[in-house]
Short mmCIF file of all heavy atoms in Angstrom, two decimals:
data_model
loop_
_atom_site.label_atom_id
_atom_site.label_comp_id
_atom_site.label_asym_id
_atom_site.label_seq_id
_atom_site.Cartn_x
_atom_site.Cartn_y
_atom_site.Cartn_z
N SER A 34 -59.02 -68.64 1.73
CA SER A 34 -59.36 -69.94 1.20
C SER A 34 -59.57 -69.90 -0.30
O SER A 34 -59.58 -70.92 -0.96
CB SER A 34 -60.61 -70.48 1.89
OG SER A 34 -61.74 -69.79 1.43
N GLY A 35 -59.72 -68.71 -0.88
CA GLY A 35 -59.84 -68.57 -2.32
C GLY A 35 -58.51 -68.93 -3.02
O GLY A 35 -58.52 -69.28 -4.19
N ALA A 36 -57.43 -68.75 -2.28
CA ALA A 36 -56.10 -69.01 -2.89
C ALA A 36 -55.81 -70.48 -2.90
O ALA A 36 -55.14 -70.99 -2.00
CB ALA A 36 -55.05 -68.23 -2.14
N ILE A 37 -56.35 -71.18 -3.87
CA ILE A 37 -56.23 -72.66 -3.88
C ILE A 37 -54.83 -73.07 -4.33
O ILE A 37 -54.30 -74.03 -3.80
CB ILE A 37 -57.32 -73.22 -4.84
CG1 ILE A 37 -58.69 -73.02 -4.19
CG2 ILE A 37 -57.06 -74.69 -5.10
CD1 ILE A 37 -59.85 -73.40 -5.04
N PHE A 38 -54.28 -72.38 -5.29
CA PHE A 38 -52.96 -72.75 -5.82
C PHE A 38 -51.95 -71.68 -5.43
O PHE A 38 -52.31 -70.57 -5.01
CB PHE A 38 -53.06 -72.85 -7.34
CG PHE A 38 -54.10 -73.84 -7.83
CD1 PHE A 38 -55.36 -73.38 -8.21
CD2 PHE A 38 -53.85 -75.18 -7.81
CE1 PHE A 38 -56.32 -74.27 -8.63
CE2 PHE A 38 -54.83 -76.09 -8.21
CZ PHE A 38 -56.08 -75.63 -8.63
N PRO A 39 -50.64 -72.00 -5.53
CA PRO A 39 -49.66 -70.95 -5.21
C PRO A 39 -49.85 -69.76 -6.15
O PRO A 39 -50.24 -69.92 -7.28
CB PRO A 39 -48.32 -71.67 -5.49
CG PRO A 39 -48.63 -73.12 -5.48
CD PRO A 39 -50.08 -73.27 -5.91
N LYS A 40 -49.55 -68.57 -5.62
CA LYS A 40 -49.80 -67.35 -6.37
C LYS A 40 -48.91 -67.23 -7.61
O LYS A 40 -49.28 -66.59 -8.61
CB LYS A 40 -49.59 -66.15 -5.46
CG LYS A 40 -50.28 -64.91 -5.85
CD LYS A 40 -50.48 -63.94 -4.69
CE LYS A 40 -49.17 -63.29 -4.22
NZ LYS A 40 -49.41 -62.12 -3.34
N GLY A 41 -47.75 -67.83 -7.53
CA GLY A 41 -46.83 -67.84 -8.71
C GLY A 41 -46.00 -66.57 -8.82
O GLY A 41 -45.73 -65.90 -7.85
N LYS A 42 -45.65 -66.26 -10.07
CA LYS A 42 -44.79 -65.09 -10.38
C LYS A 42 -45.60 -63.91 -10.91
O LYS A 42 -46.66 -64.10 -11.45
CB LYS A 42 -43.78 -65.50 -11.46
CG LYS A 42 -42.78 -66.56 -10.99
CD LYS A 42 -41.84 -66.90 -12.13
CE LYS A 42 -40.90 -68.02 -11.68
NZ LYS A 42 -40.15 -68.62 -12.80
N ARG A 43 -44.99 -62.71 -10.77
CA ARG A 43 -45.62 -61.54 -11.34
C ARG A 43 -45.74 -61.64 -12.86
O ARG A 43 -44.80 -62.05 -13.54
CB ARG A 43 -44.80 -60.29 -11.02
CG ARG A 43 -45.02 -59.70 -9.62
CD ARG A 43 -46.39 -59.05 -9.49
NE ARG A 43 -46.58 -57.90 -10.32
CZ ARG A 43 -46.24 -56.64 -9.99
NH1 ARG A 43 -45.67 -56.43 -8.82
NH2 ARG A 43 -46.44 -55.66 -10.81
N ALA A 44 -46.92 -61.36 -13.38
CA ALA A 44 -47.13 -61.36 -14.82
C ALA A 44 -46.40 -60.16 -15.46
O ALA A 44 -46.24 -59.12 -14.79
CB ALA A 44 -48.63 -61.29 -15.16
N PRO A 45 -45.93 -60.29 -16.69
CA PRO A 45 -45.16 -59.19 -17.32
C PRO A 45 -46.01 -57.93 -17.48
O PRO A 45 -47.16 -57.98 -17.85
CB PRO A 45 -44.77 -59.77 -18.68
CG PRO A 45 -45.64 -60.93 -18.91
CD PRO A 45 -46.06 -61.46 -17.56
#
Side-chain angles (χ1 to χ4, degrees):
Chain A
S34 72
I37 291 174
F38 303 99
K40 203 159 71 166
K42 295 179 183 168
R43 278 291 295 274

